């Protein structure tokens, strides 16, 4: 029963997050969600043998349809959080073009504050599990969280490219003809 509720939430989160951003942040995140979903499709397809999902509606092997859009939501949140941290800590109104410091905020803010906690939720709720027999992770686990260090490093590295991709392509999906 618990997994059914989580699966329903993963479908509802896209319109809910879009609405919340539109209403409270006056920000249209449609393009960010679409760009992030495209990246999520690549991630899920290329890493499919490494995880085992437990949802009902799948698009390829055991990859749930809703998880693809969940990547879009996560990368939207990552971009938002890292941009807010960047602006607040550097006392700026917006990201300066080509300022490489945003990568640090993406990695730390996005990877540690959004991505890794999302991974923890997914594992602990039973939405997916790691295929340790294929991953060969052996660095040990983060204390108190019982999560592999490799997962933390992987999220930090992913955030070096994913938010940049989302920021670059978001407007292409939002422009009106």
């Amino acid at each position: 029963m618990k997994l059914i509720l989580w699966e329903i939430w993963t479908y509802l989160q896209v319109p809910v997050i879009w609405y919340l951003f539109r209403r409270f942040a006056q920000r249209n995140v449609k393009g960010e969600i679409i760009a992030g979903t495209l990246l999520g499709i690549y991630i899920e397809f290329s890493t499919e043998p490494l995880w085992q999902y437990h949802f009902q509606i799948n698009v390829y092997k055991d990859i749930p349809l809703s998880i693809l859009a969940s990547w879009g939501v996560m990368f939207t949140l990552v971009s938002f959080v890292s941009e807010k941290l960047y602006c607040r800590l550097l006392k700026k109104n917006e990201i300066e073009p080509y300022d490489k410091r945003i990568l640090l905020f993406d990695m730390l803010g996005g990877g540690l504050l959004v991505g890794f906690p999302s991974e923890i939720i997914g594992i602990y709720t039973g939405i997916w599990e790691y295929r340790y027999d294929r991953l060969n992770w052996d660095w040990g686990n983060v204390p108190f969280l019982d999560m592999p260090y490799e997962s933390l490093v992987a999220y930090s590295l992913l955030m070096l490219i994913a938010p940049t991709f989302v920021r670059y392509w978001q407007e292409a999906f939002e422009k009106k003809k």
Side-chain angles (χ1 to χ4, degrees):
M1 177 65 174
K2 175 178 74 169
L3 281 178
I4 291 171
L5 295 175
W6 275 107
E7 189 164 4
I8 291 168
W9 166 245
T10 59
Y11 282 103
L12 292 175
Q13 72 179 335
V14 172
V16 167
I17 293 297
W18 175 85
Y19 173 77
L20 291 173
F21 269 95
R22 188 77 158 191
R23 174 83 166 89
F24 297 108
Q26 288 74 48
R27 184 171 172 157
N28 180 12
V29 294
K30 178 181 79 172
E32 290 169 274
I33 291 173
I34 293 170
T37 298
L38 292 175
L39 194 52
I41 291 168
Y42 166 76
I43 291 167
E44 289 300 331
F45 184 79
S46 62
T47 64
E48 188 278 329
L50 303 176
W51 339 105
Q52 180 68 46
Y53 284 101
H54 302 291
F55 280 171
Q56 298 300 309
I57 302 172
N58 299 317
V59 292
Y60 175 73
K61 296 189 180 182
D62 75 327
I63 299 173
L65 177 62
S66 61
I67 291 297
L68 301 176
S70 294
W71 281 103
V73 168
M74 187 184 75
F75 290 137
T76 297
L77 295 172
V78 164
S79 297
F80 182 76
V81 167
S82 63
E83 288 167 17
K84 290 298 180 191
L85 287 171
Y86 172 97
C87 290
R88 174 155 295 180
L89 294 177
L90 299 179
K91 296 177 177 42
K92 307 256 183 216
N93 291 327
E94 59 185 24
I95 300 171
E96 291 180 9
Y98 305 106
D99 186 351
K100 293 163 204 62
R101 293 178 292 181
I102 191 62
L103 297 174
L104 179 64
F105 287 95
D106 286 343
M107 189 173 75
L108 296 175
L112 297 178
L113 297 177
V114 179
F116 192 60
S118 298
E119 188 75 10
I120 292 169
I121 290 168
I123 291 293
Y124 280 103
T125 59
I127 294 171
W128 66 82
E129 59 189 283
Y130 296 135
R131 296 288 314 268
Y132 285 106
D133 59 317
R134 296 177 182 176
L135 285 166
N136 215 12
W137 285 348
D138 59 4
W139 290 356
N141 291 339
V142 176
F144 307 109
L145 299 175
D146 197 33
M147 291 292 291
Y149 281 111
E150 289 93 335
S151 178
L152 177 61
V153 171
Y155 264 97
S156 296
L157 294 174
L158 176 61
M159 296 312 157
L160 287 174
I161 57 167
T164 300
F165 175 88
V166 169
R167 284 186 199 101
Y168 181 82
W169 284 102
Q170 71 185 24
E171 285 185 34
F173 296 109
E174 292 172 0
K175 288 186 178 175
K176 294 181 173 102
K177 293 183 179 185

